[in-house]
């Protein structure tokens, strides 16, 4: 970081290593916000139907580029949705495509649009073997779906039941443990052998689970994996600010129309894209670690994905501003994460 005085923060342009952009009107409503903040993003494949083939991914990539506002520069890095049927040939096509950078594992039923996910990892063994050979990262939604397991324990149980055996069976597989939310996940990533990274969202750095019930039910803070206890939040802050290159920025910005979150059965997902870097800056500043933000936001992820670091820079200014209560979302509205709250930094360019 070449300047970190009281009023200005300059850093290499960050990338978002976990982003939901949706499709159609929703895509058009949100893609500009990410492009204003980030140079690149790993784009999640959980559309309906999922982005399961290279052909799907290339078509989706075109729609993303077409939806960008005039003059925006933004590179979508595509992913495939791992299913019970993902073939070895598809993985090879992905490797040769130069547009597909990873494959996402959603345990079937774990989260939004995940019913096409993997029912039994043994079925995906040929694809995982091919990914290991191709150095293609597997991005993992790390929660078991077993209804017997308490929702707050599903990530920790996933480590023992799925991740440890997966690592044993595919020791050279490159893995990203997405949106880690617990101390157990942080410790696993810190100590695991082999090539592994983890993304951390702004909401899991800023809020603990009490924030879900502060004065009443707060649906716009509800995402999966769900917010955890304060001890876990602190472990995440320590990981994000600790300088370990295994941890990097991934917003998991996941827009849902306000009416579907303010609902008897509300959707999971927080929309943080428009003020993502400002939110991370708030978390890092609270930890007295603003000087560690650039490595987490702009270097570690690019290094893990073996892509060049961005050379252009962004600038944040110290300025108090209030996150809007609502934003347009096609015919709907979107309530962003931290709506109505004050942030202390503002992206100016
Ligand atoms: C995501 C979504 O809405 O697509 N929701 C979420 O709560 N994070 C899905 C996901 O990444 O789990
Ligand atoms: Zn996600």
């Amino acid at each position: 970081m070449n300047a970190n005085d009281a009023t200005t923060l300059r850093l290499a342009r960050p990338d978002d290593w976990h982003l939901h952009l949706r499709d159609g009107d929703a895509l058009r409503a949100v893609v500009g916000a990410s492009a204003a903040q980030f140079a690149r993003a790993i784009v999640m494949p959980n559309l309906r139907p999922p982005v399961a083939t290279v052909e799907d991914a290339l078509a989706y990539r075109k729609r993303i580029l077409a939806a960008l506002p005039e003059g925006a520069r933004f590179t979508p890095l595509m992913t495939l949705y791992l299913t019970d049927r993902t073939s070895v040939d598809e993985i090879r096509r992905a490797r040769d495509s130069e547009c597909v950078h990873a494959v996402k594992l959603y345990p079937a039923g774990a989260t939004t649009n995940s019913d096409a996910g993997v029912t039994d990892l043994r079925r995906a063994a040929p694809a995982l073997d091919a990914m290991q050979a191709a150095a293609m990262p597997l991005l993992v939604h790390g929660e078991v779906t077993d209804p017997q397991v308490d929702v707050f324990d599903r990530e920790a149980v996933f480590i023992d039941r799925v991740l440890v055996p997966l690592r044993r069976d595919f020791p050279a597989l490159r893995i990203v443990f997405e949106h880690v939310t617990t101390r157990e996940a942080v410790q696993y990533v810190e100590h695991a052998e082999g090539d592994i990274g983890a993304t951390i969202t702004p909401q899991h750095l800023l809020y603990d689970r009490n924030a879900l019930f502060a004065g009443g039910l707060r649906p716009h803070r509800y995402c999966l994996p769900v917010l955890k206890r304060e001890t876990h939040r602190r472990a995440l802050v320590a990981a994000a600010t600790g300088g370990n290159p295994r941890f990097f920025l991934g917003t998991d910005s996941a827009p849902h129309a306000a009416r579907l979150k303010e609902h008897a059965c509300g959707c999971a997902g927080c929309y943080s894209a428009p003020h993502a870097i400002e939110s991370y800056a708030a978390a890092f500043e609270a930890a007295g670690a603003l000087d560690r933000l650039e490595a987490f936001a702009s270097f570690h992820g690019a290094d893990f994905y073996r892509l060049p670091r961005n050379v252009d820079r962004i600038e944040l200014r110290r300025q108090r501003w209030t996150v809007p209560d609502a934003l347009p979302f096609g015919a709907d509205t979107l309530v962003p994460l931290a709506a109505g709250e004050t942030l202390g930094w503002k992206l100016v360019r």
Side-chain angles (χ1 to χ4, degrees):
M1 202 170 306
N2 71 1
N4 183 9
D5 57 40
T7 58
T8 309
L9 192 57
R10 286 192 199 90
L11 42 148
R13 183 168 294 279
D15 302 300
D16 187 348
W17 301 102
H18 184 130
L19 175 63
H20 298 269
L21 284 175
R22 313 305 191 202
D23 212 343
D25 287 347
L27 166 63
R28 280 185 284 279
V30 300
V31 68
S34 288
Q37 295 236 336
F38 299 107
R40 300 169 289 200
I42 285 280
V43 180
M44 288 296 130
N46 63 331
L47 303 182
R48 251 178 214 286
V51 179
T53 66
V54 174
E55 195 183 347
D56 295 341
L58 295 181
Y60 184 31
R61 183 173 183 274
K62 272 196 189 147
R63 298 197 297 280
I64 295 168
L65 294 174
L68 280 171
E70 210 42 54
R73 279 188 305 156
F74 179 69
T75 305
L77 308 171
M78 308 313 292
T79 62
L80 298 189
Y81 192 114
L82 187 69
T83 73
D84 289 348
R85 292 169 305 283
T86 304
S87 69
V88 167
D89 280 349
E90 204 59 55
I91 299 300
R92 294 194 183 129
R93 272 193 289 277
R95 175 199 61 198
D96 295 339
S97 73
E98 291 184 9
C99 290
V100 175
H101 293 262
V103 177
K104 179 74 188 275
L105 166 65
Y106 287 104
T111 185
T112 308
N113 296 354
S114 65
D115 26 289
V118 172
T119 57
D120 182 342
L121 258 186
R122 278 171 296 195
R123 297 214 169 100
L128 294 171
D129 248 333
M131 288 172 60
Q132 186 167 241
M136 170 78 63
L138 179 72
L139 314 184
V140 174
H141 182 108
E143 288 190 290
V144 292
T145 53
D146 181 349
Q148 306 286 345
V149 179
D150 188 281
V151 69
F152 292 99
D153 298 334
R154 285 181 191 173
E155 186 174 276
V157 171
F158 181 90
I159 297 170
D160 297 335
R161 284 197 196 164
V162 183
L163 214 43
V164 169
L166 179 70
R167 179 46 100 209
R168 192 184 53 226
D169 295 346
F170 302 93
L173 184 63
R174 314 191 69 227
I175 295 175
V176 182
F177 195 158
E178 297 290 339
H179 41 52
V180 288
T181 65
T182 57
R183 188 179 44 211
E184 288 87 343
V186 166
Q187 285 171 352
Y188 176 78
V189 171
E190 283 172 346
H191 299 296
E193 289 188 17
D195 217 352
I196 189 163
T199 53
I200 307 182
T201 77
Q203 62 267 26
H204 293 104
L205 292 175
L206 289 170
Y207 303 111
D208 66 28
R209 66 189 189 178
N210 288 320
L212 287 168
F213 311 105
L217 192 59
R218 302 296 198 115
H220 301 291
R221 294 174 180 167
Y222 172 57
C223 67
L224 287 171
V226 70
L227 297 173
K228 303 295 191 302
R229 285 181 180 276
E230 177 64 9
T231 48
H232 296 293
R233 189 192 70 81
R234 289 192 188 169
L236 298 172
V237 170
T241 61
N244 182 335
R246 289 186 164 185
F247 296 99
F248 40 87
L249 184 157
T251 62
D252 195 21
S253 180
H256 292 275
R259 65 185 167 81
L260 296 177
K261 290 190 65 68
E262 298 162 8
H263 191 277
C265 185
C267 294
C270 299
Y271 180 59
S272 59
H275 52 293
I277 195 66
E278 291 96 327
S279 303
Y280 284 105
F284 275 65
E285 183 159 58
L290 267 180
D291 59 328
R292 299 286 177 88
L293 179 62
E294 184 179 44
F296 173 79
S298 315
F299 298 157
H300 295 167
D303 296 350
F304 180 87
Y305 278 90
R306 301 176 178 169
L307 291 168
R309 295 178 178 183
N310 298 316
V311 288
D312 63 319
R313 303 177 81 71
I314 60 164
E315 186 175 314
L316 303 174
R317 201 160 291 157
R318 191 179 284 289
Q319 176 188 323
R320 288 176 67 77
W321 66 285
T322 304
V323 177
D325 288 330
L327 297 163
F329 190 49
D332 276 300
T333 59
L334 202 49
V335 176
L337 182 72
E341 293 179 43
T342 303
L343 288 171
W345 291 96
K346 184 101 181 82
L347 181 68
V348 288
R349 68 186 161 82

